[in-house]
Each structure stands twice: as structure tokens, then as C-alpha cells.
Amino acid sequence: FFYSVRTATAQALYFAAKYGGAKDDPARVVSLCDRAYRLYPRNYYFCATAGEAAYRAALDPKRDDRVALSAAAERWCAAGLRVNPYKTELRLLRARLLARESIREAIDYWEAYVDWHFWSPFNHAVRVDLYAQAGDVDKAVEALAWVKGSDYFDAANRTLQDAWAKERASQAGPPGQSP
């Protein structure tokens, strides 16, 4: 009985964080997920929701608490991966967190995940994005081939086109000067 009450309460807190009035307030999302996690630490969705909210809020240059939010994103991601090391949302969050320090580490981390979960076009679309960030257009093109025919193709193709445009602009040099 007590276990079911704790689980149900945790689920209600998670619902409020993910879908309720708190969903647009990262601090409240993290707080609600923290309370839910303390009641029922086996639900990795609490971790994914809190980690993603903290990560997105930490990207906002107007926030004073960006360092604390980044640390919260790291902490939540690690906690979620301990519960479920195969959850795509958590693996993607970890790759994003790694990319802030080293795009190559992020690529290696994501490639290891794609080796395990190869047939998802979404995973290959993420590869396109990571390779584009790294400036490795050739590998991005290879990854895009695995996205063809999926709902992710248009966005991944735009990412690749942007990377190509950036590469061409960097090779062109200053205006009025030939490469």
C-alpha cells in the first residue's frame, strides 16, 4: 500500500512537471522531479525531464543561474543513465552536455549508442547534427543517407546545408579576396 501511494504521488508530481502549469518554469520542473525522484527513484523519466529542463534553461544567456542549471542537467542525466543507460533522451542529453566541452567526445559517445540502436533514423539525424557541428561535412553526408525517407530528413538536410554554407564561407576568405 505504502509503495503504491509513493509511486502514485511521484507520478502526479511528474505529470505536473511535464504537462502541468510548471512545464514552462525550469526551476519548478526540477523541483517537482526532485520530489518525485525521492519518492520513487526508479522512474528515469523524472531524470530525463528535469535534466532537459535544466539544460535548456542553462542555454539562456539572460539567466544568472546558468552554472547551477548546467550542474543540475549533468546530475540528472547521470542519475537517469544509472537507471536506464539505453534511454534515447538521456543519451542525447549526455551527448549535448559532452559537446559543450568536446564535440569529438560527443560524437564518439553518440556513435557508440548508434552502434547499439542503429535502425532509428532519429539517431542518424543526430549524427548529421553532431558532424555538422564538428565541420565534418563528409561524415554528415554519410549519416544523412540513413535519414532519407524519414520525418527527420528535412531538418537534417537543412543542418547539412547550413554546414556546407558555413564551410564555403570560411574557405572564401574576406570579401573581395579570392580563396
Side-chain angles (χ1 to χ4, degrees):
F1 172 77
F2 291 110
Y3 181 77
S4 64
V5 169
R6 288 174 65 99
T7 304
T9 303
Q11 195 61 30
L13 291 166
Y14 168 70
F15 185 86
K18 179 81 173 180
Y19 305 106
K23 72 180 178 191
D24 296 323
D25 180 357
R28 269 208 18 120
V29 169
V30 170
S31 174
L32 288 168
C33 287
D34 185 51
R35 288 173 49 203
Y37 185 78
R38 281 187 272 132
L39 289 169
Y40 184 69
R42 291 173 191 84
N43 190 332
Y44 48 84
Y45 286 103
F46 304 159
C47 303
T49 299
E52 187 66 29
Y55 173 77
R56 288 191 185 283
L59 296 175
D60 183 353
K62 294 179 250 165
R63 294 190 69 104
D64 304 354
D65 55 349
R66 289 175 30 186
V67 172
L69 287 164
S70 284
E74 293 272 0
R75 190 173 56 253
W76 280 106
C77 185
L81 287 169
R82 281 192 301 273
V83 177
N84 184 348
Y86 302 105
K87 185 67 178 159
T88 301
E89 291 87 346
L90 291 164
R91 295 292 293 237
L92 179 57
L93 178 57
R94 181 71 188 133
R96 287 179 180 161
L97 292 166
L98 285 169
R100 296 178 312 173
E101 302 299 320
S102 168
I103 191 65
R104 285 288 152 207
E105 280 186 46
I107 288 170
D108 291 345
Y109 180 81
W110 191 254
E111 286 289 356
Y113 180 67
V114 173
D115 285 347
W116 176 79
H117 195 210
F118 187 82
W119 296 109
S120 168
F122 173 79
N123 293 342
H124 294 285
V126 172
R127 289 176 61 224
V128 171
D129 183 54
L130 290 171
Y131 283 128
Q133 286 179 49
D136 194 341
V137 176
D138 292 336
K139 290 222 177 180
V141 169
E142 290 174 22
L144 185 65
W146 293 100
V147 184
K148 195 174 254 179
S150 76
D151 294 340
Y152 307 106
F153 182 80
D154 290 338
N157 191 39
R158 276 192 305 276
T159 298
L160 178 59
Q161 298 303 320
D162 292 346
W164 264 333
K166 187 184 273 186
E167 184 178 294
R168 282 192 304 269
S170 71
Q171 291 174 351
Q177 186 177 359
S178 300

